[in-house]
């Protein structure tokens, strides 16, 4: 996959600092430090984009100036040090030019020092020429830092994005007044983004209803240019699936309330759900080392078992509206064969960064689908501690169903195994899952289902990084996907397929 250039990361970091961090800083000292950090980041962006052109011209001018000084010294019978400004191995771009500039600066300064020390022995014409050469050297030394300082930070040209504005308090209030039974009496009291989550933008809001009572809500919103437009990764499909799943009453879920599809003025779809109490036990990257109570992990097994024993017929309305008709008669084997073919077609047609890894993974999966005559079940797809809410050791919510699909229960088990195994014995977890009503586990399919889960995420993250590189957004979440999370899933997929 194409490596993201430094300038892209730096633009994202600068945008995050200026739009999200600096406005929240209270002290003058912190604000001053943020302003200086923004200046430094801007300087680094220029060094990665515009500066090489300026510095290249500066080096050419420096070579000419150094040659003039050397000729003048030779005419005066003065020996000067030779030029040793060869590039270092591995130097490229700005670094190579900066190395050459440093060497030129040292050579010009040393020659100028020697000549200035010999001024008294020169005739009047030579002293005049020396003064001009030293003035040219001073101007040369000033040219790059002055030009660099005054050069604006290039913003880059973003790709076209859908019309509309980011969701804010006023737009949300307008939507809620259009759907809430209390209508115009609704008032949005607070609206704040929630950090974390990579698939959607998430916000916490508090509203006052017509009777004066206050209510906490959560908003899930698509990016204007989303990573993927397929399945429950799309906001409206996630909303409708959650409604059917919430209606079963079998799992601790936030109730989906209202869907905003193509709401005027907003740059992407979103939906509003009831807020649940609790906090997330750990982030995805920190889960292996976090202190997670054993009871939470065993409850996760219980909820996973409840999910996997729900008859697929309970989702008939969703399946009829959004899924392939083949799902009505699919076995787990045929379901995965169809989904792999669909993801392969989507990857090829929806736009992506070239990736030999994804090509290999899709090919391996198509060639290793296990024979499995069972009927598919609903799989969460991202069932892990970073998608739980808990209060006092009790799970109060299961979050983020955008990765859900119909498939084998082993898919959720394989996905969570790397984290669970860091905390408790894996066989004990599986035994508790079975004792809680989970179906029998076919351990031989675990590598396949983990590879399938990783494939989908590798495809999606590939497209997210493409959006970052094409400047469809400046969201630092996608830099983190690129730098940390994508390699982790690639590593897991390779362990399952090449082991």
């Amino acid at each position: 996959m194409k490596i993201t250039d430094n300038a892209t990361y730096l633009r994202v970091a600068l945008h995050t600092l200026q739009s999200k961090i600096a406005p929240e800083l209270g002290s003058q000292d912190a604000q001053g430090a943020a302003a200086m950090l923004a200046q430094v980041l801007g300087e680094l962006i220029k060094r990665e984009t515009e500066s090489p052109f300026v510095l290249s011209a500066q080096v050419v001018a420096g070579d000419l100036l150094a040659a003039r000084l050397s000729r003048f010294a030779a005419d005066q019978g003065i020996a000067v040090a030779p030029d040793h400004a060869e590039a270092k191995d591995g130097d490229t771009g700005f670094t190579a030019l900066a190395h050459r500039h440093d060497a030129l600066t040292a050579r010009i300064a040393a020659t100028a020092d020697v000549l200035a020390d010999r001024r008294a022995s020169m005739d009047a014409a030579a002293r005049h020429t020396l003064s001009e050469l030293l003035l040219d050297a001073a101007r040369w030394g000033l040219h790059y830092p002055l030009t660099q300082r005054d050069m604006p930070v290039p913003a880059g040209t973003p790709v076209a994005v859908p019309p509309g504005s980011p969701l804010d308090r006023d737009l949300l209030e307008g939507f809620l007044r259009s759907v809430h039974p209390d209508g115009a009496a609704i008032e949005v009291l607070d609206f704040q983004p929630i950090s974390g989550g990579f698939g959607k933008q998430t916000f916490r809001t508090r509203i006052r209803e017509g009777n004066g009572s206050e209510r906490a809500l959560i908003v899930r919103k698509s990016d204007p240019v989303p990573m993927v437009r397929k399945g429950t990764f799309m906001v409206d499909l996630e909303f409708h699936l959650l409604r059917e799943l919430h209606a079963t009453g079998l799992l601790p879920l936030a109730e989906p309330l209202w869907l905003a599809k193509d709401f005027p003025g907003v740059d992407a779809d979103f939906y509003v759900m009831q807020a649940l109490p609790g906090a997330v036990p750990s982030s995805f990257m920190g889960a292996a080392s976090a202190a997670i109570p054993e009871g939470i992990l065993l409850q996760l097994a219980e909820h996973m078992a409840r999910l996997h024993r729900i008859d697929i017929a309970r989702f008939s309305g969703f399946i009829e509206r959004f899924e392939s008709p083949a799902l009505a008669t699919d076995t787990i084997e045929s379901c995965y064969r169809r989904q792999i073919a669909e993801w392969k077609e989507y990857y090829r047609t929806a736009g992506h960064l070239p990736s030999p890894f994804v090509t290999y993974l899709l090919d391996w999966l198509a060639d290793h689908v296990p024979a499995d005559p069972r009927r598919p079940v609903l799989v969460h797809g991202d069932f892990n501690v970073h998608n739980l809410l808990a209060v006092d050791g009790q799970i109060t919510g299961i979050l983020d169903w955008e990765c859900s699909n119909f498939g084998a229960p082993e898919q959720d088990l394989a996905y969570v195994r790397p984290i669970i195994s860091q905390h408790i014995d894996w066989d004990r977890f599986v035994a508790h899952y079975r004792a809680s009503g989970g179906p029998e586990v076919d351990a031989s399919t675990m590598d396949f289902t983990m590879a399938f889960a990783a494939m989908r995420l590798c495809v999606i993250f590939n497209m997210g990084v493409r959006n970052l590189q094409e400047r469809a957004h400046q969201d630092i979440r996608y830099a983190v996907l690129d730098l940390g999370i994508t390699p982790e899933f690639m590593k897991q997929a390779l362990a399952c397929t090449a082991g």
Side-chain angles (χ1 to χ4, degrees), residues 56 94-95 110 127 135 139 179 235 243 254-255 299 327 451 496:
S56 179
F94 182 87
T95 301
R127 290 197 298 274
L135 178 59
R139 286 171 171 157
V179 295
V235 159
R243 292 194 76 168
E255 181 184 2
Q299 287 174 61
L327 192 55
C496 292

Side-chain angles (χ1 to χ4, degrees), residues 215-218 253-257 272-276:
R215 186 178 186 185
L217 303 171
I218 299 295
L253 301 176
E255 181 184 2
L257 299 172
V272 180
M273 68 178 105
Q274 184 69 41
L276 294 174

Side-chain angles (χ1 to χ4, degrees), residues 117-141:
D117 287 343
R118 300 287 294 273
R119 172 184 283 276
S121 64
M122 300 177 188
D123 59 30
R127 290 197 298 274
H128 177 75
T129 300
L130 175 61
S131 295
E132 290 184 333
L133 283 170
L134 294 180
L135 178 59
D136 286 346
R139 286 171 171 157
W140 180 83

